[in-house]
Amino acid sequence: MTQDSPAVAGAAPVVSAFRLGWGGEELSCAQALPGRVRGPATTVVLLHGAGAGSKARLAPLQADFAARGCRSLALDFSGHGESSGALAESSLRRRFEQAAAVVGERVPAGDALVFVGFSMSGQTVADLVAHFGGRVAGIGLCAPAVYAREAWPLPFGDGDGRFTEVIRTPDRWRDSAALDVYRDFAGRAVLVVPGTDAVIPPAVTAAVGAALATRAHFTRLELPGADHALGAWLRDHAANRRRVVDAVLADRPGRA
């Protein structure tokens, strides 16, 4: 992966908020630009998880990527943070479409892309890699989830619908299209694993790691003191945020 040169010392990232209309909803987004970019341009797109996830948790990580000379974007998926929409009406498909729309609106066509996804966005990152293909130079997966193909178009509902039924069926995740995408991905890939994860089964983490190890320049980065809510944990642990940024932007295998 070709890495941007670091931003000029003392040139602080410039952070701005914007809103993007999508499907009758308004998505709340944030952009962080390095004070000055030298060399090939890279845009890092940060994707929060489900539940209480939001771009606000990822603001320090977004600033860290910008401080390394990358453009960085983050959004609140519909039903989260400052975006409109009802979470029950969202779906994995809608999350992919919303993230793709933000990239299409804000990322220059010549930029390399790096996607960093938390929890549920482990699936969304795979969907974006499949969509953007060779533009994707790197990915970071933080306590990632992957989902059965059948679950992808289903609305999340209120916890008692078809989506919940599918994802709670043991081993249904094993037919996830995300695993196929990760087996084929040949860019930079980092799997960030918390010391304690009460949400993602160890078998899922192992399967994602094995898939990435097939072709990618792969690093498994373990954070023993962290739990599943890595976005919130990294917000409060600056040294470990830098480890994640260094790993994702590393230009050779195993450098973390």
Side-chain angles (χ1 to χ4, degrees):
M1 171 181 171
T2 300
Q3 181 181 329
D4 286 342
S5 301
V8 174
V14 178
V15 181
S16 60
F18 66 96
R19 300 186 74 83
L20 178 67
W22 181 90
E25 300 175 17
E26 282 205 346
L27 303 177
S28 177
C29 309
Q31 176 175 256
L33 299 177
R36 181 176 167 189
V37 178
R38 299 180 302 193
T42 295
T43 293
V44 180
V45 184
L46 303 174
L47 306 167
H48 68 73
S54 73
K55 70 180 186 305
R57 284 186 176 182
L58 307 182
L61 186 60
Q62 186 178 12
D64 287 347
F65 275 111
R68 289 288 298 275
C70 300
R71 300 182 180 95
S72 58
L73 290 172
L75 72 147
D76 286 330
F77 291 108
S78 60
H80 291 272
E82 299 176 318
S83 289
S84 66
L87 180 57
E89 296 173 3
S90 191
S91 66
L92 295 167
R93 178 176 183 167
R94 287 168 71 88
R95 286 169 70 97
F96 155 68
E97 291 174 345
Q98 289 168 5
V102 172
V103 171
E105 178 70 21
R106 285 284 171 152
V107 180
D111 274 22
L113 293 167
V114 172
F115 293 110
V116 179
F118 291 76
S119 192
M120 180 177 276
S121 284
Q123 177 71 47
T124 309
V125 169
D127 297 334
L128 292 164
V129 169
H131 180 71
F132 287 103
R135 286 187 65 189
V136 184
I139 59 176
L141 301 175
C142 301
V146 295
Y147 296 88
R149 298 168 198 265
E150 184 181 354
W152 195 71
L154 300 175
F156 296 149
D158 295 317
D160 56 358
R162 181 63 179 155
F163 178 81
T164 302
E165 178 186 345
V166 170
I167 68 171
R168 289 184 178 174
T169 302
D171 289 335
R172 287 290 282 277
W173 58 269
R174 292 187 183 277
D175 84 334
S176 176
L179 295 175
D180 293 335
V181 172
Y182 290 146
R183 289 185 194 100
D184 289 339
F185 182 64
R188 178 74 177 138
V190 178
L191 175 61
V192 184
V193 182
T196 302
D197 196 332
V199 177
I200 305 300
V204 173
T205 303
V208 171
L212 292 172
T214 304
R215 296 188 65 204
H217 297 168
F218 173 58
T219 293
R220 177 182 169 114
L221 177 60
E222 299 194 9
L223 301 178
D227 58 15
H228 178 73
L230 275 172
W233 192 85
L234 288 170
R235 176 192 60 198
D236 301 327
H237 293 80
N240 285 285
R241 282 202 316 272
R242 288 192 289 273
R243 289 182 66 199
V244 172
V245 172
D246 287 346
V248 171
L249 296 182
D251 56 4
R252 60 181 182 269
R255 179 183 169 195

